[in-house]
Amino acid sequence: MTDFIYEPYKTIFVRDLIKLSLDDLLSMMASLESGSAYWVDGVLFACFAMTESEELAKKEIQGQTYLDKVIFAKYDNYTKTAKLSTNMEINVLNVQKSRLYRDLISWLKKQPIWNE
């Protein structure tokens, strides 16, 4: 039988935090192939990984990863979809049960950009 080991990242480096209006975030997400945003604890967001490389792959094995940017907007209550001012809708995925994303949003709310 195969052994499975749960091993969360030890360190995640975030290169850029970008706070947008809800409409701007939704507009950007609608233009992307996936077209979905994540929601945790009053925050709608998307994470973008850095371009894969051999060096980054080695860091992954060591429990480290890099996010090129985290783009977010305050969004108090979860809804299955969010509507732009143009009435276009995008899907919203509730990832509240993910410890990783809950930790990310908790950390994000402590950053100076949160209150800007």
Side-chain angles (χ1 to χ4, degrees), residues 9 11-17 38-41 43-48 65-72 95-96 98-111 113-114:
Y9 287 109
T11 308
I12 298 175
F13 298 93
V14 179
R15 294 295 186 194
D16 199 7
L17 293 172
Y38 295 140
W39 181 89
V40 169
D41 195 24
V43 181
L44 200 62
F45 66 101
C47 299
F48 297 90
T65 194
Y66 288 78
L67 295 176
D68 184 43
K69 58 185 160 274
V70 175
I71 298 173
F72 70 96
V95 292
Q96 183 74 35
S98 165
R99 191 171 89 197
L100 178 99
Y101 286 132
R102 282 195 323 266
D103 288 351
L104 170 66
I105 297 307
S106 175
W107 172 82
L108 171 68
K109 288 180 173 183
K110 295 173 187 164
Q111 304 310 302
I113 194 169
W114 178 255

Side-chain angles (χ1 to χ4, degrees), residues 82-95:
K83 192 179 285 191
L84 283 88
S85 59
T86 60
N87 286 331
M88 181 183 231
E89 284 186 310
I90 69 157
N91 292 323
V92 176
L93 304 172
N94 184 344
V95 292

Side-chain angles (χ1 to χ4, degrees), residues 25-70:
L25 175 68
L26 295 175
S27 180
M28 184 201 75
M29 294 309 298
S31 71
L32 297 175
E33 195 173 299
S34 70
S36 296
Y38 295 140
W39 181 89
V40 169
D41 195 24
V43 181
L44 200 62
F45 66 101
C47 299
F48 297 90
M50 294 185 72
T51 305
E52 293 291 322
S53 71
E54 193 174 315
E55 187 173 328
L56 285 178
K58 288 177 186 174
K59 291 188 179 284
E60 288 268 342
I61 291 169
Q62 297 168 357
Q64 299 178 346
T65 194
Y66 288 78
L67 295 176
D68 184 43
K69 58 185 160 274
V70 175

